[in-house]
Amino acid sequence: MTIVLLDDNEMDLFVSSKLLENLHADVIVKGFTNPDNALDFLQADNSVIGLFVDNQMPGMSGFDFLAMLIENDIILPYMAVLTASLGTAERSKYAQLSRKVHLFEKPIKPDQIRLSLSL
Amino acid sequence: MANRDNAIMYIDDEEPNLVAFRAIFRREYHIHTASDADQARQILSENPDIKVIISDQRMQGITGIEFFASILQEFPEPIRIILTGFADQKAMLDSINKARVYRFLSKPWNEHDLRQTIQSAIEIYDTRRDLKRKQHDVEVALEHLNKFIHTASNEMRSTLVSMHGIVRLSLSNPEGVDVHEFLPLLERGIVEIDLQLRNIINHYNNNRHLSNIEEISLEEMVQQASETLEALIDLSKLRMRITNPLQTSLVSDAYKVQLVFNNLISHALNNMAPNQEYLDIDIDMNPEGDGAQIIFTDNSMYVDTDLSGTLFETMISGKGKNYVTLYLVKEAVHNLKGTIEIDSVENAGTSYIIHLPNQRLEQRDDRTA
């Protein structure tokens, strides 16, 4: 079960990777700090069960990245956004996307993600 | 003091009065005259610098008070003076209440009284404009301060959230956790927050009025910057070369000059490309005009060189992490009355051309007195 994680902050990438890997023995996390590399991986690999994207990244925000995936018909079973502060504005913004996007505040709570991913 | 740069307008439907007015005051003010309300409006539209309007009260088709009341919305700033030979109480009250007239003078005018009234009106106009400008400056400064607080708080909170994640990870899997793996990450977080707090302190010191003007060696400033940073960041990847060090000294505020070097070096270190082996910094210092030119070149990653007023918005949107550091450089150079040009090329590096003028040594005494 491959989960793709995109976060420009290496410390957050490290922490979130470890927390996601601890969700289940079969979970493999592919971490990226660069959106282009993450996109290349998603286009080439169709075994990805979930994608976690940081909301605030330089150059391309989490919202822009997900919007781009949807526009290019790269459909994933599960998409989530990680953010340092989750408010009404963030929820409304992601509700505009045509696909369901889960929102989690950093640092992620493993139990919450496990439940959401039905692991 | 009369000044030909001060523009005033006189409105009167009697041509000889206009001629007389122009003849008397043409050497003291930049004079516009109008013989009716339409012409006056046209002149006001074309000359937004008019400070004082003097109008005859009794004109054909419109009174001076009616004219002033009609332009109040569109041209609220010029100071208004009414001239009349038939002053009655109602007209005076209307002039104050409806047309915000500054003075009411009798006609034919007394040259001395009219001159003094025009001069007072110009002073009021200038004071109001000055006050408005200062109020605007205060609002802009407050806006900047609010954004600075917002940005710095967000950045620090983001680092704290990361550190919280590390703690949560350790707690969630205590048996499989090697604490030593996480301690360097926690230390990195602490250093990042420390840098943010230093930025806030620097911002305060950058803008305080007191400054210590002295003769400084730019080479020493660079060395001190390295020593300060060494306590915070790993400088083992830094290779720094200084050209012409001994030839260039400067009379300036040592604190602000050091802040410039501190922040340029730390910004370059924070923007090293992943897997970049060394950070090469070249600092070329030359006497130039009444001051010094510093060319700071590094081979860090490309940086957005736009340090205009939109910096804070850029940061808040997540596009310009670490840019507070560069913003403080710009702020320090600006406060030293210098200039800064930035040029960044992708995969090559960034160069900063800074000119810092010599300050006057006696400024120290002026400012600290």
mmCIF file of all heavy atoms in Angstrom, chain B residues 274-313:
data_model
loop_
_atom_site.group_PDB
_atom_site.id
_atom_site.type_symbol
_atom_site.label_atom_id
_atom_site.label_comp_id
_atom_site.label_asym_id
_atom_site.label_seq_id
_atom_site.Cartn_x
_atom_site.Cartn_y
_atom_site.Cartn_z
ATOM 1 N N PRO B 274 19.646 21.550 -2.146
ATOM 2 C CA PRO B 274 19.850 20.240 -1.516
ATOM 3 C C PRO B 274 21.079 19.594 -2.157
ATOM 4 O O PRO B 274 21.269 19.698 -3.361
ATOM 5 C CB PRO B 274 18.576 19.472 -1.878
ATOM 6 C CG PRO B 274 17.602 20.492 -2.333
ATOM 7 C CD PRO B 274 18.361 21.660 -2.820
ATOM 8 N N ASN B 275 21.865 18.973 -1.356
ATOM 9 C CA ASN B 275 23.098 18.308 -1.822
ATOM 10 C C ASN B 275 24.191 19.269 -2.280
ATOM 11 O O ASN B 275 25.181 18.854 -2.869
ATOM 12 C CB ASN B 275 22.821 17.311 -2.968
ATOM 13 C CG ASN B 275 21.711 16.351 -2.613
ATOM 14 O OD1 ASN B 275 21.619 15.908 -1.467
ATOM 15 N ND2 ASN B 275 20.851 16.063 -3.563
ATOM 16 N N GLN B 276 24.013 20.567 -2.057
ATOM 17 C CA GLN B 276 25.079 21.514 -2.425
ATOM 18 C C GLN B 276 26.248 21.317 -1.460
ATOM 19 O O GLN B 276 26.047 21.346 -0.238
ATOM 20 C CB GLN B 276 24.558 22.950 -2.338
ATOM 21 C CG GLN B 276 25.556 23.986 -2.840
ATOM 22 C CD GLN B 276 24.950 25.396 -2.867
ATOM 23 O OE1 GLN B 276 23.734 25.551 -2.864
ATOM 24 N NE2 GLN B 276 25.801 26.404 -2.886
ATOM 25 N N GLU B 277 27.435 21.124 -2.025
ATOM 26 C CA GLU B 277 28.568 20.771 -1.168
ATOM 27 C C GLU B 277 29.067 21.974 -0.368
ATOM 28 O O GLU B 277 29.265 21.893 0.840
ATOM 29 C CB GLU B 277 29.695 20.183 -2.021
ATOM 30 C CG GLU B 277 30.652 19.364 -1.210
ATOM 31 C CD GLU B 277 31.697 18.684 -2.086
ATOM 32 O OE1 GLU B 277 31.571 18.733 -3.324
ATOM 33 O OE2 GLU B 277 32.632 18.124 -1.515
ATOM 34 N N TYR B 278 29.285 23.090 -1.073
ATOM 35 C CA TYR B 278 29.807 24.288 -0.394
ATOM 36 C C TYR B 278 29.001 25.523 -0.781
ATOM 37 O O TYR B 278 28.502 25.625 -1.905
ATOM 38 C CB TYR B 278 31.267 24.537 -0.775
ATOM 39 C CG TYR B 278 32.208 23.547 -0.133
ATOM 40 C CD1 TYR B 278 32.769 22.530 -0.883
ATOM 41 C CD2 TYR B 278 32.510 23.635 1.223
ATOM 42 C CE1 TYR B 278 33.615 21.600 -0.296
ATOM 43 C CE2 TYR B 278 33.360 22.711 1.819
ATOM 44 C CZ TYR B 278 33.907 21.697 1.057
ATOM 45 O OH TYR B 278 34.731 20.787 1.638
ATOM 46 N N LEU B 279 28.932 26.442 0.161
ATOM 47 C CA LEU B 279 28.368 27.750 -0.156
ATOM 48 C C LEU B 279 29.547 28.700 -0.352
ATOM 49 O O LEU B 279 30.320 28.935 0.575
ATOM 50 C CB LEU B 279 27.480 28.260 0.985
ATOM 51 C CG LEU B 279 26.965 29.691 0.772
ATOM 52 C CD1 LEU B 279 25.898 29.728 -0.317
ATOM 53 C CD2 LEU B 279 26.398 30.268 2.059
ATOM 54 N N ASP B 280 29.698 29.213 -1.579
ATOM 55 C CA ASP B 280 30.778 30.155 -1.868
ATOM 56 C C ASP B 280 30.238 31.582 -1.807
ATOM 57 O O ASP B 280 29.265 31.911 -2.506
ATOM 58 C CB ASP B 280 31.361 29.892 -3.263
ATOM 59 C CG ASP B 280 32.143 28.593 -3.279
ATOM 60 O OD1 ASP B 280 32.953 28.391 -2.351
ATOM 61 O OD2 ASP B 280 31.931 27.772 -4.202
ATOM 62 N N ILE B 281 30.864 32.377 -0.969
ATOM 63 C CA ILE B 281 30.461 33.785 -0.870
ATOM 64 C C ILE B 281 31.679 34.650 -1.188
ATOM 65 O O ILE B 281 32.757 34.450 -0.617
ATOM 66 C CB ILE B 281 29.910 34.120 0.532
ATOM 67 C CG1 ILE B 281 28.556 33.439 0.755
ATOM 68 C CG2 ILE B 281 29.765 35.636 0.716
ATOM 69 C CD1 ILE B 281 27.944 33.674 2.114
ATOM 70 N N ASP B 282 31.516 35.587 -2.134
ATOM 71 C CA ASP B 282 32.570 36.556 -2.437
ATOM 72 C C ASP B 282 32.072 37.933 -2.058
ATOM 73 O O ASP B 282 30.974 38.333 -2.466
ATOM 74 C CB ASP B 282 32.902 36.539 -3.936
ATOM 75 C CG ASP B 282 33.651 35.273 -4.303
ATOM 76 O OD1 ASP B 282 34.701 35.025 -3.684
ATOM 77 O OD2 ASP B 282 33.161 34.525 -5.177
ATOM 78 N N ILE B 283 32.881 38.632 -1.277
ATOM 79 C CA ILE B 283 32.483 39.997 -0.889
ATOM 80 C C ILE B 283 33.558 40.958 -1.389
ATOM 81 O O ILE B 283 34.715 40.883 -0.977
ATOM 82 C CB ILE B 283 32.306 40.129 0.641
ATOM 83 C CG1 ILE B 283 31.305 39.082 1.148
ATOM 84 C CG2 ILE B 283 31.812 41.526 0.998
ATOM 85 C CD1 ILE B 283 31.168 39.034 2.656
ATOM 86 N N ASP B 284 33.140 41.811 -2.312
ATOM 87 C CA ASP B 284 34.063 42.788 -2.892
ATOM 88 C C ASP B 284 33.712 44.158 -2.314
ATOM 89 O O ASP B 284 32.567 44.602 -2.410
ATOM 90 C CB ASP B 284 33.877 42.776 -4.414
ATOM 91 C CG ASP B 284 34.892 43.664 -5.095
ATOM 92 O OD1 ASP B 284 35.929 43.944 -4.475
ATOM 93 O OD2 ASP B 284 34.642 44.074 -6.247
ATOM 94 N N MET B 285 34.689 44.778 -1.682
ATOM 95 C CA MET B 285 34.424 46.084 -1.038
ATOM 96 C C MET B 285 35.294 47.143 -1.685
ATOM 97 O O MET B 285 36.502 46.979 -1.796
ATOM 98 C CB MET B 285 34.764 46.022 0.441
ATOM 99 C CG MET B 285 34.048 44.941 1.191
ATOM 100 S SD MET B 285 34.832 44.747 2.787
ATOM 101 C CE MET B 285 33.780 43.524 3.517
ATOM 102 N N ASN B 286 34.679 48.233 -2.093
ATOM 103 C CA ASN B 286 35.439 49.315 -2.715
ATOM 104 C C ASN B 286 34.927 50.662 -2.243
ATOM 105 O O ASN B 286 33.714 50.838 -2.100
ATOM 106 C CB ASN B 286 35.278 49.259 -4.239
ATOM 107 C CG ASN B 286 36.026 48.090 -4.822
ATOM 108 O OD1 ASN B 286 37.239 48.006 -4.709
ATOM 109 N ND2 ASN B 286 35.287 47.163 -5.414
ATOM 110 N N PRO B 287 35.853 51.629 -2.055
ATOM 111 C CA PRO B 287 35.381 52.989 -1.778
ATOM 112 C C PRO B 287 34.642 53.487 -3.021
ATOM 113 O O PRO B 287 35.093 53.234 -4.138
ATOM 114 C CB PRO B 287 36.674 53.783 -1.551
ATOM 115 C CG PRO B 287 37.766 52.789 -1.485
ATOM 116 C CD PRO B 287 37.310 51.543 -2.145
ATOM 117 N N GLU B 288 33.521 54.140 -2.837
ATOM 118 C CA GLU B 288 32.786 54.654 -3.989
ATOM 119 C C GLU B 288 32.086 55.940 -3.605
ATOM 120 O O GLU B 288 31.248 55.940 -2.700
ATOM 121 C CB GLU B 288 31.753 53.633 -4.470
ATOM 122 C CG GLU B 288 31.115 54.028 -5.790
ATOM 123 C CD GLU B 288 29.793 53.321 -6.028
ATOM 124 O OE1 GLU B 288 28.866 53.486 -5.201
ATOM 125 O OE2 GLU B 288 29.690 52.612 -7.014
ATOM 126 N N GLY B 289 32.396 57.014 -4.309
ATOM 127 C CA GLY B 289 31.792 58.301 -3.987
ATOM 128 C C GLY B 289 32.042 58.612 -2.524
ATOM 129 O O GLY B 289 33.132 58.384 -2.005
ATOM 130 N N ASP B 290 31.017 59.091 -1.843
ATOM 131 C CA ASP B 290 31.162 59.360 -0.416
ATOM 132 C C ASP B 290 30.633 58.158 0.364
ATOM 133 O O ASP B 290 29.610 58.228 1.031
ATOM 134 C CB ASP B 290 30.388 60.627 -0.037
ATOM 135 C CG ASP B 290 30.570 60.942 1.443
ATOM 136 O OD1 ASP B 290 31.627 60.566 2.000
ATOM 137 O OD2 ASP B 290 29.653 61.522 2.039
ATOM 138 N N GLY B 291 31.347 57.044 0.241
ATOM 139 C CA GLY B 291 30.882 55.856 0.944
ATOM 140 C C GLY B 291 31.590 54.621 0.414
ATOM 141 O O GLY B 291 32.744 54.690 0.009
ATOM 142 N N ALA B 292 30.874 53.505 0.451
ATOM 143 C CA ALA B 292 31.489 52.259 -0.002
ATOM 144 C C ALA B 292 30.500 51.458 -0.825
ATOM 145 O O ALA B 292 29.290 51.514 -0.604
ATOM 146 C CB ALA B 292 31.927 51.433 1.210
ATOM 147 N N GLN B 293 31.068 50.729 -1.793
ATOM 148 C CA GLN B 293 30.233 49.809 -2.558
ATOM 149 C C GLN B 293 30.599 48.383 -2.139
ATOM 150 O O GLN B 293 31.777 48.044 -2.043
ATOM 151 C CB GLN B 293 30.477 49.964 -4.059
ATOM 152 C CG GLN B 293 29.509 49.119 -4.879
ATOM 153 C CD GLN B 293 29.955 48.970 -6.315
ATOM 154 O OE1 GLN B 293 31.088 48.591 -6.596
ATOM 155 N NE2 GLN B 293 29.056 49.269 -7.228
ATOM 156 N N ILE B 294 29.584 47.599 -1.852
ATOM 157 C CA ILE B 294 29.805 46.210 -1.437
ATOM 158 C C ILE B 294 29.107 45.321 -2.453
ATOM 159 O O ILE B 294 27.897 45.476 -2.695
ATOM 160 C CB ILE B 294 29.212 45.954 -0.035
ATOM 161 C CG1 ILE B 294 29.862 46.888 0.994
ATOM 162 C CG2 ILE B 294 29.378 44.503 0.372
ATOM 163 C CD1 ILE B 294 28.997 47.150 2.200
ATOM 164 N N ILE B 295 29.875 44.438 -3.066
ATOM 165 C CA ILE B 295 29.243 43.476 -3.983
ATOM 166 C C ILE B 295 29.328 42.100 -3.322
ATOM 167 O O ILE B 295 30.412 41.564 -3.116
ATOM 168 C CB ILE B 295 29.928 43.467 -5.365
ATOM 169 C CG1 ILE B 295 29.896 44.882 -5.963
ATOM 170 C CG2 ILE B 295 29.224 42.482 -6.303
ATOM 171 C CD1 ILE B 295 30.645 45.011 -7.272
ATOM 172 N N PHE B 296 28.196 41.584 -2.951
ATOM 173 C CA PHE B 296 28.090 40.312 -2.221
ATOM 174 C C PHE B 296 27.540 39.279 -3.197
ATOM 175 O O PHE B 296 26.438 39.435 -3.720
ATOM 176 C CB PHE B 296 27.146 40.513 -1.031
ATOM 177 C CG PHE B 296 26.982 39.329 -0.130
ATOM 178 C CD1 PHE B 296 27.597 39.304 1.115
ATOM 179 C CD2 PHE B 296 26.193 38.246 -0.504
ATOM 180 C CE1 PHE B 296 27.433 38.212 1.967
ATOM 181 C CE2 PHE B 296 26.025 37.160 0.341
ATOM 182 C CZ PHE B 296 26.649 37.155 1.582
ATOM 183 N N THR B 297 28.314 38.257 -3.462
ATOM 184 C CA THR B 297 27.867 37.246 -4.429
ATOM 185 C C THR B 297 27.876 35.870 -3.766
ATOM 186 O O THR B 297 28.833 35.529 -3.072
ATOM 187 C CB THR B 297 28.823 37.208 -5.646
ATOM 188 O OG1 THR B 297 29.034 38.547 -6.069
ATOM 189 C CG2 THR B 297 28.229 36.422 -6.790
ATOM 190 N N ASP B 298 26.812 35.109 -3.968
ATOM 191 C CA ASP B 298 26.807 33.745 -3.422
ATOM 192 C C ASP B 298 26.294 32.768 -4.472
ATOM 193 O O ASP B 298 25.727 33.190 -5.487
ATOM 194 C CB ASP B 298 25.970 33.665 -2.140
ATOM 195 C CG ASP B 298 24.495 33.878 -2.378
ATOM 196 O OD1 ASP B 298 23.919 33.170 -3.222
ATOM 197 O OD2 ASP B 298 23.903 34.761 -1.712
ATOM 198 N N ASN B 299 26.506 31.494 -4.231
ATOM 199 C CA ASN B 299 26.030 30.484 -5.185
ATOM 200 C C ASN B 299 24.880 29.671 -4.590
ATOM 201 O O ASN B 299 24.758 28.479 -4.809
ATOM 202 C CB ASN B 299 27.184 29.564 -5.639
ATOM 203 C CG ASN B 299 27.741 28.732 -4.495
ATOM 204 O OD1 ASN B 299 27.523 29.066 -3.330
ATOM 205 N ND2 ASN B 299 28.456 27.660 -4.812
ATOM 206 N N SER B 300 24.017 30.379 -3.824
ATOM 207 C CA SER B 300 22.844 29.681 -3.271
ATOM 208 C C SER B 300 21.769 29.596 -4.355
ATOM 209 O O SER B 300 21.962 30.056 -5.468
ATOM 210 C CB SER B 300 22.313 30.438 -2.051
ATOM 211 O OG SER B 300 21.804 31.684 -2.444
ATOM 212 N N MET B 301 20.609 29.054 -3.981
ATOM 213 C CA MET B 301 19.538 28.872 -4.957
ATOM 214 C C MET B 301 18.982 30.213 -5.386
ATOM 215 O O MET B 301 19.169 31.225 -4.730
ATOM 216 C CB MET B 301 18.411 28.042 -4.335
ATOM 217 C CG MET B 301 18.734 26.572 -4.228
ATOM 218 S SD MET B 301 17.253 25.625 -3.876
ATOM 219 C CE MET B 301 16.810 26.211 -2.258
ATOM 220 N N TYR B 302 18.220 30.186 -6.459
ATOM 221 C CA TYR B 302 17.556 31.390 -6.974
ATOM 222 C C TYR B 302 16.635 31.978 -5.900
ATOM 223 O O TYR B 302 15.936 31.259 -5.210
ATOM 224 C CB TYR B 302 16.738 31.007 -8.211
ATOM 225 C CG TYR B 302 15.847 32.098 -8.710
ATOM 226 C CD1 TYR B 302 16.362 33.133 -9.487
ATOM 227 C CD2 TYR B 302 14.492 32.116 -8.403
ATOM 228 C CE1 TYR B 302 15.545 34.141 -9.948
ATOM 229 C CE2 TYR B 302 13.669 33.120 -8.859
ATOM 230 C CZ TYR B 302 14.203 34.127 -9.632
ATOM 231 O OH TYR B 302 13.393 35.136 -10.071
ATOM 232 N N VAL B 303 16.665 33.292 -5.771
ATOM 233 C CA VAL B 303 15.698 33.929 -4.868
ATOM 234 C C VAL B 303 14.885 34.940 -5.657
ATOM 235 O O VAL B 303 15.374 35.537 -6.608
ATOM 236 C CB VAL B 303 16.373 34.656 -3.674
ATOM 237 C CG1 VAL B 303 17.077 33.683 -2.781
ATOM 238 C CG2 VAL B 303 17.316 35.739 -4.143
ATOM 239 N N ASP B 304 13.643 35.079 -5.259
ATOM 240 C CA ASP B 304 12.798 36.104 -5.863
ATOM 241 C C ASP B 304 13.353 37.449 -5.416
ATOM 242 O O ASP B 304 13.456 37.720 -4.225
ATOM 243 C CB ASP B 304 11.357 35.917 -5.375
ATOM 244 C CG ASP B 304 10.405 36.872 -6.061
ATOM 245 O OD1 ASP B 304 10.893 37.813 -6.708
ATOM 246 O OD2 ASP B 304 9.193 36.668 -5.935
ATOM 247 N N THR B 305 13.740 38.283 -6.371
ATOM 248 C CA THR B 305 14.432 39.516 -6.010
ATOM 249 C C THR B 305 13.473 40.673 -5.728
ATOM 250 O O THR B 305 13.908 41.780 -5.459
ATOM 251 C CB THR B 305 15.392 39.942 -7.133
ATOM 252 O OG1 THR B 305 14.646 40.030 -8.342
ATOM 253 C CG2 THR B 305 16.509 38.941 -7.287
ATOM 254 N N ASP B 306 12.195 40.399 -5.804
ATOM 255 C CA ASP B 306 11.233 41.475 -5.564
ATOM 256 C C ASP B 306 11.091 41.716 -4.061
ATOM 257 O O ASP B 306 10.480 40.934 -3.354
ATOM 258 C CB ASP B 306 9.879 41.086 -6.168
ATOM 259 C CG ASP B 306 8.843 42.168 -5.927
ATOM 260 O OD1 ASP B 306 9.243 43.292 -5.552
ATOM 261 O OD2 ASP B 306 7.647 41.891 -6.119
ATOM 262 N N LEU B 307 11.699 42.823 -3.618
ATOM 263 C CA LEU B 307 11.597 43.154 -2.189
ATOM 264 C C LEU B 307 10.703 44.379 -2.006
ATOM 265 O O LEU B 307 10.902 45.183 -1.119
ATOM 266 C CB LEU B 307 12.982 43.441 -1.612
ATOM 267 C CG LEU B 307 13.860 42.218 -1.344
ATOM 268 C CD1 LEU B 307 15.188 42.633 -0.780
ATOM 269 C CD2 LEU B 307 13.180 41.262 -0.389
ATOM 270 N N SER B 308 9.731 44.509 -2.895
ATOM 271 C CA SER B 308 8.852 45.679 -2.805
ATOM 272 C C SER B 308 7.881 45.491 -1.639
ATOM 273 O O SER B 308 7.991 44.548 -0.875
ATOM 274 C CB SER B 308 8.092 45.843 -4.107
ATOM 275 O OG SER B 308 7.274 44.729 -4.299
ATOM 276 N N GLY B 309 6.916 46.399 -1.563
ATOM 277 C CA GLY B 309 5.972 46.367 -0.439
ATOM 278 C C GLY B 309 5.152 45.100 -0.367
ATOM 279 O O GLY B 309 4.513 44.840 0.632
ATOM 280 N N THR B 310 5.148 44.324 -1.419
ATOM 281 C CA THR B 310 4.316 43.127 -1.419
ATOM 282 C C THR B 310 5.019 41.954 -0.735
ATOM 283 O O THR B 310 4.508 40.861 -0.720
ATOM 284 C CB THR B 310 3.957 42.693 -2.853
ATOM 285 O OG1 THR B 310 5.179 42.431 -3.533
ATOM 286 C CG2 THR B 310 3.173 43.749 -3.584
ATOM 287 N N LEU B 311 6.194 42.206 -0.183
ATOM 288 C CA LEU B 311 6.977 41.137 0.429
ATOM 289 C C LEU B 311 6.175 40.322 1.443
ATOM 290 O O LEU B 311 6.177 39.098 1.428
ATOM 291 C CB LEU B 311 8.204 41.733 1.113
ATOM 292 C CG LEU B 311 8.985 40.759 1.965
ATOM 293 C CD1 LEU B 311 9.822 39.862 1.092
ATOM 294 C CD2 LEU B 311 9.854 41.491 2.947
ATOM 295 N N PHE B 312 5.489 41.037 2.341
ATOM 296 C CA PHE B 312 4.783 40.339 3.408
ATOM 297 C C PHE B 312 3.680 39.442 2.864
ATOM 298 O O PHE B 312 3.531 38.320 3.301
ATOM 299 C CB PHE B 312 4.213 41.338 4.412
ATOM 300 C CG PHE B 312 5.274 41.930 5.277
ATOM 301 C CD1 PHE B 312 5.576 43.268 5.196
ATOM 302 C CD2 PHE B 312 5.985 41.141 6.149
ATOM 303 C CE1 PHE B 312 6.557 43.812 5.985
ATOM 304 C CE2 PHE B 312 6.973 41.674 6.941
ATOM 305 C CZ PHE B 312 7.258 43.015 6.861
ATOM 306 N N GLU B 313 2.947 39.978 1.870
ATOM 307 C CA GLU B 313 1.898 39.145 1.280
ATOM 308 C C GLU B 313 2.525 37.900 0.658
ATOM 309 O O GLU B 313 2.002 36.802 0.773
ATOM 310 C CB GLU B 313 1.137 39.917 0.200
ATOM 311 C CG GLU B 313 0.167 40.935 0.737
ATOM 312 C CD GLU B 313 0.809 42.267 1.003
ATOM 313 O OE1 GLU B 313 2.050 42.353 1.041
ATOM 314 O OE2 GLU B 313 0.075 43.235 1.182
#
